């Protein structure tokens, strides 16, 4: 890894007072969670239907049992822990350097590592709600539904079908989450983008609200924003951030 690039990143962190981190699937791959679009990602694994179709709103209602078969197998990984990137971001927040994490991930690892101000653009697998009475449940109710007679999660209170609080294809993002993320990004003096190809919209479009001094890109591959960045490092994000001191 280029020590000069790490030194520049350290200097940027040192002088920044309002860092916002915008991250994608690449932040969690180092924890063992596959991303969707890489060679080994979910979109390139065989399944009965294309993953894009399975995790759509239409498919959820038309083929709920198959949706949950895929969801339990692929989107509820067990024994997954935060990695160096998650812990460093939480450390930066605790040190008063980082004001927010804006994530496209749905795994809850940022909060598990200790981050407090997290905007989950695509929701979270850790939250699930009854479509009938609105009661919320954690991920265990989805995991345990595999043993149910119909293989579906039902509300213990009213018997209604439970749906993950994640944004499926064909669904819009939560407006309050978007507004919070936009406000944080627009007020940041440094925006660190990590582990994302910046090709998923509307989430990727949020970076256009950044008006600060330093745009930093930490990603294994190139992104559409590379040419506009103050600093670009094409290395695993956990390895990069683990070298940064608060």
């Amino acid at each position: 890894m280029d020590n000069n690039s790490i030194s520049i990143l350290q200097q940027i962190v040192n002088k920044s007072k309002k860092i916002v981190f915008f991250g994608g699937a690449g932040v969690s791959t180092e924890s063992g969670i596959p991303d969707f679009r890489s060679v080994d990602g979910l979109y390139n694994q065989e399944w009965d239907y294309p993953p894009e179709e399975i995790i759509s709103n239409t498919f959820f209602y038309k083929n709920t049992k198959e949706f949950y078969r895929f969801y339990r197998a692929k989107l509820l990984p067990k024994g997954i822990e935060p990695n160096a990137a998650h812990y460093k971001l939480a450390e930066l927040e605790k040190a008063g350097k980082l004001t927010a994490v804006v994530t496209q991930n749905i795994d809850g690892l940022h909060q598990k590592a200790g981050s407090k101000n997290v905007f989950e653009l695509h929701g979270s697998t850790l939250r699930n709600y009854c479509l009938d009475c609105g009661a919320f449940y954690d991920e265990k109710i989805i995991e345990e539904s595999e043993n149910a007679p119909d293989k579906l999660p039902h509300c213990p209170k009213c018997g209604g079908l439970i749906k993950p609080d994640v944004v499926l294809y064909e669904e819009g993002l939560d407006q309050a989450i978007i507004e919070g993320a936009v406000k944080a990004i627009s007020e940041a003096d440094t925006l660190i983008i990590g582990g994302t190809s910046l090709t998923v919209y509307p989430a990727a479009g949020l970076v256009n609200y950044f008006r600060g001094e330093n745009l930093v890109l930490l990603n294994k591959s190139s992104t559409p924003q590379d040419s506009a960045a103050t600093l670009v490092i094409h290395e695993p994000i956990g390895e990069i951030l683990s070298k940064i001191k608060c």
Side-chain angles (χ1 to χ4, degrees):
M1 188 175 295
D2 183 1
N3 289 330
N4 184 54
S5 294
I6 296 298
S7 177
I8 294 172
L9 178 56
Q10 184 67 66
Q11 291 172 30
I12 291 173
V13 169
N14 289 346
K15 69 178 182 179
S16 298
K17 295 181 179 178
K18 288 187 175 182
I19 300 172
V20 168
F21 178 81
F22 181 95
V27 179
S28 292
T29 52
E30 292 173 54
S31 289
I33 298 178
D35 69 14
F36 277 71
R37 291 172 174 78
S38 69
V39 173
D40 299 318
L42 293 181
Y43 283 3
N44 292 295
Q45 296 177 13
E46 292 186 9
W47 205 258
D48 292 345
Y49 301 84
E52 300 98 320
E53 181 180 347
I54 296 175
I55 52 177
S56 68
N57 187 60
T58 297
F59 194 92
F60 174 82
Y61 286 102
K62 285 189 174 180
N63 200 338
T64 312
K65 187 176 293 186
E66 183 68 6
F67 170 91
Y68 273 114
R69 190 170 78 87
F70 177 89
Y71 186 87
R72 283 190 295 263
K74 296 299 183 183
L75 296 180
L76 283 181
K78 296 184 177 71
I80 298 299
E81 297 294 330
N83 59 56
H86 297 107
Y87 285 118
K88 181 59 65 174
L89 292 169
E91 189 180 338
L92 286 167
E93 182 183 37
K94 189 174 182 181
K97 285 284 185 180
L98 184 140
T99 58
V101 169
V102 179
T103 180
Q104 300 173 77
N105 296 338
I106 58 176
D107 50 46
L109 289 180
H110 284 292
Q111 292 93 325
K112 192 171 185 179
S115 290
K116 304 298 183 185
N117 194 29
V118 181
F119 295 98
E120 296 174 308
L121 297 176
H122 297 149
S124 173
T125 59
L126 306 185
R127 296 188 305 272
N128 307 274
Y129 63 96
C130 174
L131 290 170
D132 289 345
C133 73
F136 270 84
Y137 300 94
D138 63 21
E139 74 281 8
K140 292 184 180 64
I141 201 162
I142 306 297
E143 295 170 356
E144 293 167 357
S145 67
E146 189 169 12
N147 300 317
D150 61 359
K151 304 291 185 183
L152 299 177
H154 292 283
C155 177
K157 296 180 180 179
C158 74
L161 180 66
I162 291 174
K163 186 175 185 287
D165 191 18
V166 299
V167 179
L168 303 178
Y169 283 104
E170 305 167 346
E171 294 181 333
L173 303 186
D174 183 277
Q175 191 60 36
I177 297 296
I178 293 176
E179 290 174 1
V182 166
K183 184 175 187 296
I185 291 171
S186 64
E187 293 176 352
D189 53 18
T190 292
L191 178 62
I192 300 176
I193 299 174
T196 175
S197 59
L198 291 177
T199 58
V200 178
Y201 285 83
L206 296 183
V207 304
N208 294 326
Y209 289 93
F210 177 62
R211 297 291 183 269
E213 183 178 353
N214 296 296
L215 175 63
V216 177
L217 279 160
L218 313 177
N219 199 50
K220 286 183 178 180
S221 57
S222 299
T223 79
Q225 292 283 350
D226 280 18
S227 61
T230 308
L231 175 66
V232 178
I233 306 178
H234 292 311
E235 299 284 350
I237 187 169
E239 293 182 21
I240 299 168
L241 291 182
S242 65
K243 297 180 182 298
I244 298 303
K245 294 179 175 60
C246 296

